[in-house]
Amino acid sequence: QVQLVESGGGLVQAGGSLRLSCAASGRTYSTYFMGWFRQAPGKEREFVAAIRWSGAGTYYADSVKGRFTISGDNAKNTVYLQMNSLKPEDTAVYYCAAHPQGSTNYDYWGQGTQVTVSS
C-alpha cells in the first residue's frame, strides 16, 4: 500500500556529509511516522531517526544526535536524512520505513541505500 525508494547513499570520508532521500507513494495519507533505520555488516538493524508525518516531532538515536537531521516535505511525499560529521561507524545500509496509523509497527520498507564512511 506504501512504496518507498531511498537514494543518496555513497562513499564519503570521515567528517563529511551526505543527504539521503526517501520518496513515498501509495496510501501515504495514512502514515503516522516515517523513519530511518540502518544495518551495519554483521550487526542487527537499528533505529536512526523518525519524524511524525502530521507534525514537527522528531526522534533520534543517541548515536546520531547533533549530527543527523530528519526532515520531510509532505507536498513531495519525501523524507530526508541529512548526515553531517560522518564517522566510520556510520557505515551501513540505510533503510526508509513507514509506520501506518493504526499499526504498532513500521510495516513498509524501502530497498536500502549503502552509506560507506572511510577512515
Side-chain angles (χ1 to χ4, degrees), residues 7 18-23 34-36 49-51 53 60 68-74 76-83 96:
S7 62
L18 210 58
R19 184 177 177 86
L20 305 183
S21 298
C22 174
M34 295 291 291
W36 287 97
I51 184 169
W53 203 236
Y60 297 94
F68 291 10
T69 302
I70 188 171
S71 62
D73 186 334
N74 290 340
K76 295 182 178 180
N77 289 318
T78 301
V79 64
Y80 305 95
L81 185 68
Q82 178 67 46
M83 304 184 294
C96 179

Side-chain angles (χ1 to χ4, degrees), residues 7 12-13 18 30 46 48 54 61 66 94 112 116-117:
S7 62
V12 65
Q13 293 183 339
L18 210 58
S30 65
E46 65 174 340
V48 175
S54 63
Y94 283 70
T116 302
V117 184

Side-chain angles (χ1 to χ4, degrees), residues 4-116:
L4 306 171
V5 180
E6 303 99 330
S7 62
L11 175 64
V12 65
Q13 293 183 339
S17 298
L18 210 58
R19 184 177 177 86
L20 305 183
S21 298
C22 174
S25 61
R27 299 180 62 184
T28 56
Y29 59 85
S30 65
T31 299
Y32 187 26
F33 291 103
M34 295 291 291
W36 287 97
F37 295 77
R38 67 187 183 187
Q39 187 168 19
K43 304 293 184 180
E44 296 292 328
R45 182 184 64 190
E46 65 174 340
F47 169 79
V48 175
I51 184 169
R52 191 182 300 273
W53 203 236
S54 63
T58 57
Y59 309 85
Y60 297 94
D62 288 342
S63 60
V64 306
K65 286 181 179 177
R67 300 189 298 120
F68 291 10
T69 302
I70 188 171
S71 62
D73 186 334
N74 290 340
K76 295 182 178 180
N77 289 318
T78 301
V79 64
Y80 305 95
L81 185 68
Q82 178 67 46
M83 304 184 294
N84 298 326
S85 302
L86 283 162
K87 305 174 181 179
E89 50 262 46
D90 294 318
T91 295
V93 177
Y94 283 70
Y95 297 91
C96 179
H99 180 196
Q101 296 180 25
S103 175
T104 59
N105 301 304
Y106 284 89
D107 293 334
Y108 303 100
W109 297 82
Q111 82 289 347
T113 186
Q114 176 71 48
V115 172
T116 302

